[in-house]
Amino acid sequence: MERLRHLMSPTDFTVEELDHLFDVAEDIRKNMADYAHKCDGKILATCFYEPSTRTRLSFESAMLRLGGKVLGFADGSNSSAAKGESVSDTIRVMSYYADICAMRHPKEGAPMVAAEKSLIPVINGGDGGHQHPTQTLTDLLTIRSLYGSLNNFTIGLCGDLKFGRTVHSLITALTRYENINYVFISPEELKVPSYIKEMLKAKNIPYKQVTTLEEVMPDLDILYMTRVQKERFFNEEDYVRLKDFYILDSQKMKLAKEKMFIMHPLPRVNEIAVEIDDDPRAAYFRQSEYGVFVRMALILTLLDMTDEHMNQGLLRHPGDM
Ligand code: NCD
């Protein structure tokens, strides 16, 4: 019997497993109708203790497009968390209401604590400033599809590299691929945390840190923009000072390679001028679209319902834990 599997970090899957997941996501993109009933009778719970548009709704869209149903809450203050219930107790009960759960929480590690008591797969939908593995799966699929490979490129990560969990997750995942050059573009106060730099040093992976976009723009194959994470700041003054530090506009885009493409996990605030949206190099809305395909593939994988398991029925069992 297979063990119950959760997704806490993008490296919970091997590179080979990720390749397979992305193949499934690509197949879904091309043959969506074939997947319309794969999850008939299954239920996804979304337990979101922090605001979200794309992550929660793309999970819901993914399950609905697979023929399943969804339930959950979008705000911890409307759940029993407001009465003091722990995530462990909540997930225990959710295990009887649903077959799989996506959870977002402001506390780092909370989805992991929940997973320990869960009878169903738990997916980390973002835990504080720590990790955001399903955004990373979305980002990797986008790079694989648009750039054509997950190896051999220069990526610039720009903005709030200190608090941005999408950046932390993406760098962690990319260290398993070959010949990637990292350029970290941030103000002094929002530099990438030292544990990320230690991880790169330990693997002998070079990186560069700069403060202006202009000085590195011509070198980049991919520019990953991020918003300054207002909710993680301790004081409003610092946020106001830093929030418009980078604004990508058509003037700066003149310095970029013709084939460089721009990613952003969204939501965007001011860091990308709307005039860029029609530039063929702007990939951020396509990225959101890929997020649905990859979450569909992930739900099927964690429920053991990708094709090789389809005929064997549900392998999960409470006794497998
Ligand atoms: C990101 C997040 O929640 O970390 N958004 C997302 O899930 N697409 C990025 C952000 O909020 O800035």
Side-chain angles (χ1 to χ4, degrees), residues 8 29 43 87 126 142 149 155 189 194 225 239 269:
M8 293 298 127
R29 182 167 76 86
I43 298 176
V87 287
T142 307
S149 167
I155 182 167
E189 296 90 331
S194 44
M225 294 294 293
Y239 171 69
V269 186

Side-chain angles (χ1 to χ4, degrees), residues 7-8 47 59 64 67 79 83 86 107 117 136 142 148 166 186 235 237 250 260 264-265 283 317:
L7 178 68
M8 293 298 127
C47 298
F59 262 116
L64 294 170
S79 79
K83 301 179 189 168
S86 66
K107 281 208 188 110
K117 292 285 186 235
T136 299
T142 307
T166 60
S186 74
N235 75 65
E237 231 173 82
S250 43
M260 182 197 86
H264 191 308
H317 221 254

Side-chain angles (χ1 to χ4, degrees), residues 185 191 255 263:
I185 310 149
K191 276 185 166 169
L255 301 170
M263 297 173 66

Side-chain angles (χ1 to χ4, degrees), residues 83-94:
K83 301 179 189 168
E85 186 174 55
S86 66
V87 287
S88 305
D89 284 1
T90 303
I91 198 70
R92 199 104 185 214
V93 175
M94 281 294 161

Side-chain angles (χ1 to χ4, degrees), residues 10-284:
T11 51
D12 290 353
F13 287 112
T14 63
V15 168
E16 292 71 30
E17 285 173 324
L18 283 184
D19 276 341
H20 180 65
L21 187 107
F22 299 145
D23 289 343
V24 174
E26 283 289 357
D27 192 59
I28 292 171
R29 182 167 76 86
K30 291 181 192 134
N31 306 297
M32 185 70 106
D34 295 349
Y35 289 83
H37 297 288
K38 296 273 192 201
C39 281
D40 281 355
K42 297 281 175 232
I43 298 176
L44 164 81
T46 51
C47 298
F48 275 54
Y49 297 87
E50 245 194 6
S52 169
T53 302
R54 262 151 300 275
T55 305
R56 185 172 61 83
L57 295 181
S58 65
F59 262 116
E60 296 195 359
S61 172
M63 191 45 139
L64 294 170
R65 288 185 190 283
L66 289 166
K69 294 192 165 58
V70 297
L71 54 79
F73 52 85
D75 177 353
S77 65
N78 286 334
S79 79
S80 285
K83 301 179 189 168
E85 186 174 55
S86 66
V87 287
S88 305
D89 284 1
T90 303
I91 198 70
R92 199 104 185 214
V93 175
M94 281 294 161
S95 298
Y96 305 124
Y97 300 167
D99 300 286
I100 185 164
C101 174
M103 178 180 284
R104 169 171 286 190
H105 203 285
K107 281 208 188 110
E108 310 197 344
M112 174 108 70
V113 171
E116 278 164 16
K117 292 285 186 235
S118 182
L119 303 175
I120 59 175
V122 178
I123 301 166
N124 178 3
D127 60 328
H130 186 219
Q131 295 272 338
H132 193 346
T134 61
Q135 181 62 47
T136 299
L137 300 187
T138 302
D139 299 341
L140 296 179
L141 176 66
T142 307
I143 296 172
R144 199 181 89 145
S145 303
L146 300 185
Y147 183 74
S149 167
L150 285 166
N151 302 298
N152 309 316
F153 53 78
T154 298
I155 182 167
L157 298 116
C158 176
D160 187 345
L161 308 187
K162 180 178 181 188
F163 296 117
R165 58 191 169 199
T166 60
V167 165
H168 307 157
S169 255
L170 181 58
I171 299 169
T172 307
L174 284 176
T175 59
R176 299 191 298 178
Y177 297 91
E178 300 293 315
N179 194 25
I180 299 177
N181 298 312
Y182 298 84
V183 185
F184 301 140
I185 310 149
S186 74
E188 189 60 33
E189 296 90 331
L190 298 178
K191 276 185 166 169
V192 82
S194 44
Y195 83 89
I196 297 275
K197 287 186 256 185
E198 293 308 321
M199 175 182 68
L200 293 172
K201 279 184 201 148
K203 294 183 172 213
N204 273 326
I205 300 174
Y207 61 84
K208 188 162 149 184
Q209 296 190 95
V210 298
T211 46
T212 71
L213 248 176
E214 288 87 338
E215 67 191 286
V216 289
M217 198 71 152
D219 305 332
L220 307 179
D221 298 302
I222 300 166
L223 172 58
Y224 193 95
M225 294 294 293
T226 61
R227 106 189 134 87
V228 176
Q229 305 279 299
K230 182 178 185 189
E231 65 277 33
R232 316 230 183 268
F233 272 71
F234 294 111
N235 75 65
E236 176 81 14
E237 231 173 82
D238 286 345
Y239 171 69
V240 170
R241 188 166 49 82
L242 295 167
K243 72 182 173 62
D244 294 329
F245 204 91
Y246 299 105
I247 299 180
L248 182 64
D249 56 17
S250 43
Q251 204 54 32
K252 291 197 185 83
M253 282 304 290
K254 287 190 185 141
L255 301 170
K257 285 185 187 169
E258 208 181 309
K259 287 226 159 84
M260 182 197 86
F261 60 89
I262 312 159
M263 297 173 66
H264 191 308
L266 303 179
R268 146 182 66 187
V269 186
N270 284 330
E271 58 281 357
I272 302 180
V274 288
E275 69 195 19
I276 303 291
D277 295 357
D278 295 328
D279 188 311
R281 293 170 287 187
Y284 29 94

